[in-house]
Amino acid sequence: MTNDTQVKLVSGTAGYVLEDIPHLTDYLPDLPSYPNPLQDNPAYSVVKQYFVNVDDTVTQKIVVHKDSPRGVHFRRAGPRQKVYFESDEVHACIVTCGGLCPGLNTVIREIVCGLYHMYGVRKILGINGGYRGFYAKNTVTLTPKVVNDIHKRGGTILGTSRGGHDTSKIVDSIQDRGINQVYIIGGDGTQRGAAVIFEEIRRRRLKVAVAGIPKTIDNDIPVIDKSFGFDTAVEEAQRAINAAHVEAESIDNGIGLVKLMGRNSGFIALYATLASRDVDCCLIPESPFYLEGSGGLYEFIEKRLKENGHMVIVIAEGAGQDLLSESLQSMDQQDASGNKLLQDVGLWISHRIKGHFAKKKMPVNLKYIG
């Protein structure tokens, strides 16, 4: 699967650059627009400046210097005064792809309830089983009544899968069913697939909007405040850190080593460390580290054990990948969604720590939780 989507760049004065997103009017320039139904909704019409101005953008970098260029900006999200679908013509669908994430059912519920109550949309389908569900699975009709209590359950009521992306079959199904709004909830591999789907829709000149909703507990999306599922991930990480701390402080030279998720970002590891206050060392991909010599990890561990008798180390799964030279030959493997598979840095570094202190004849008791 390739992604040929071209980024829309708009230049302005003083070094202003807008990385814009594709829009229906890019290939359907004569598309009529309609007043947003929210203008007639008493819950929203009374709020001043509720609608987002079409020229509103969000800057990529918050901190700038007085002589620096204005830099890269992104289109601000939010309701517009004009929309390109009438409520009674909308036939929406929702699909969840990739791995599970806390909050998936909540997102499904909010899309359904928002479309139904705020925009008057009555035709909403759920696609079962990820991308392949477009052409290989049954669909389920979604209404506020159907999704009323799903936020109390884990997982996704629609089911999910990795891979199964056949662009032509998916767009054929969208076209055959008369769907004109597609909401795709998934990670980076899923969103690459969403971009390819949109390109095929554009090639066929269909009036179909594709909205990608990023799913990541890793919080690795620039500009936004927080991705859904991140808080739960940090909260659950506390259990592992607490267990490691209990193990470590209960024995001489005890080391609790906890590997946390995060792929190539260290937000979960860092926020869990800050919340715990029991962690002595946090290793994240954004801050390279080394093992040997002055200022290395071994030196810090030895110093901390002599001072305190025990310690807790938290390592993000993407940290130290460059140090795993023994496993470099397998580092190009990918999962079904096209994401690079990471090596188990926690298991690797636990063996290295044990080996180092065995050579120094300084026994350590290491408990690895990964």
Side-chain angles (χ1 to χ4, degrees):
M1 182 177 68
T2 59
N3 183 1
D4 298 324
T5 303
Q6 299 296 316
V7 177
K8 288 169 57 181
L9 295 178
V10 180
S11 299
T13 60
Y16 174 93
V17 177
L18 171 63
E19 285 193 12
D20 210 351
I21 57 173
H23 195 270
L24 288 173
T25 54
D26 294 344
Y27 60 93
L28 299 173
D30 299 324
L31 202 61
S33 61
Y34 311 96
N36 193 316
L38 291 179
Q39 294 183 21
D40 302 319
N41 189 318
Y44 300 94
S45 58
V46 297
V47 181
K48 291 183 179 180
Q49 295 182 334
Y50 180 77
F51 295 104
V52 174
N53 189 287
V54 293
D55 293 325
D56 282 359
T57 58
V58 178
T59 181
Q60 183 183 41
K61 291 185 177 180
I62 298 175
V63 180
V64 295
H65 302 289
K66 64 178 181 178
D67 298 324
S68 62
R70 293 175 66 190
V72 175
H73 290 66
F74 305 104
R75 184 73 64 181
R76 186 185 175 196
R80 268 61 173 168
Q81 286 186 312
K82 297 290 184 181
V83 296
Y84 292 89
F85 295 91
E86 291 187 289
S87 298
D88 55 3
E89 74 167 306
V90 173
H91 189 188
C93 76
I94 305 170
V95 62
T96 54
C97 307
L100 294 179
C101 174
L104 274 172
N105 282 332
T106 302
V107 174
I108 294 169
R109 183 180 188 274
E110 293 308 306
I111 295 173
V112 172
C113 292
L115 286 172
Y116 195 97
H117 295 303
M118 297 167 68
Y119 288 92
V121 174
R122 296 295 180 263
K123 292 183 288 185
I124 309 170
L125 280 180
I127 306 296
N128 281 320
Y131 275 137
R132 61 172 53 92
F134 276 101
Y135 52 85
K137 298 270 188 177
N138 293 326
T139 60
V140 56
T141 300
L142 298 176
T143 65
K145 186 175 181 180
V146 170
V147 302
N148 184 51
D149 293 323
I150 66 172
H151 60 296
K152 300 174 184 177
R153 307 181 215 165
T156 163
I157 62 163
L158 299 179
T160 185
S161 64
R162 294 187 183 274
H165 192 282
D166 188 317
T167 306
S168 181
K169 286 184 178 181
I170 291 171
V171 179
D172 285 346
S173 175
I174 290 170
Q175 195 169 0
D176 293 343
R177 296 175 190 271
I179 293 169
N180 51 23
Q181 289 187 10
V182 184
Y183 296 88
I184 301 175
I185 309 170
D188 46 4
T190 299
Q191 300 308 328
R192 286 194 294 270
V196 175
I197 290 170
F198 176 77
E199 289 303 320
E200 178 62 17
I201 287 170
R202 173 155 59 181
R203 189 187 68 80
R204 300 188 191 187
R205 300 183 66 81
L206 304 176
K207 185 187 175 184
V208 179
V210 179
I213 300 161
K215 169 188 65 68
T216 170
I217 62 170
D218 303 334
N219 202 36
D220 54 349
I221 305 173
V223 181
I224 72 168
D225 293 328
K226 197 180 295 180
S227 59
F228 74 88
F230 173 67
D231 281 341
T232 304
V234 171
E235 183 179 341
E236 288 300 312
Q238 299 301 307
R239 301 176 187 270
I241 293 173
N242 289 340
H245 182 246
V246 169
E247 293 261 4
E249 70 174 352
S250 299
I251 194 167
D252 288 338
N253 286 342
I255 301 174
L257 176 63
V258 181
K259 185 189 74 175
L260 297 177
M261 296 176 69
R263 199 173 287 279
N264 295 314
S265 67
F267 284 100
I268 294 177
L270 185 58
Y271 275 64
T273 293
L274 292 173
S276 169
R277 316 309 297 178
D278 287 330
V279 179
D280 299 279
C281 178
C282 179
L283 304 172
I284 59 176
E286 294 87 344
S287 182
F289 66 94
Y290 54 95
L291 303 178
E292 309 274 358
S294 177
L297 180 63
Y298 294 151
E299 181 184 78
F300 177 77
I301 293 173
E302 183 174 348
K303 177 174 178 289
R304 193 64 180 155
L305 290 177
K306 288 179 178 177
E307 289 175 347
N308 208 35
H310 68 274
M311 71 176 298
V312 175
I313 303 170
V314 167
I315 184 167
E317 64 176 343
Q321 291 291 316
D322 56 322
L323 300 178
L324 275 69
S325 56
E326 297 89 344
S327 305
L328 282 177
Q329 68 275 10
S330 59
M331 288 190 69
D332 291 333
Q333 293 181 358
Q334 295 181 335
D335 63 18
S337 298
N339 303 310
K340 186 170 74 172
L341 292 174
L342 298 174
Q343 305 302 302
D344 191 342
V345 67
L347 189 61
W348 174 82
I349 207 168
S350 66
H351 290 318
R352 295 297 298 268
I353 292 171
K354 290 176 182 177
H356 172 80
F357 286 100
K359 290 178 183 176
K360 294 198 67 169
K361 301 193 183 310
M362 178 181 173
V364 296
N365 295 282
L366 190 147
K367 173 70 174 181
Y368 172 50
I369 301 175

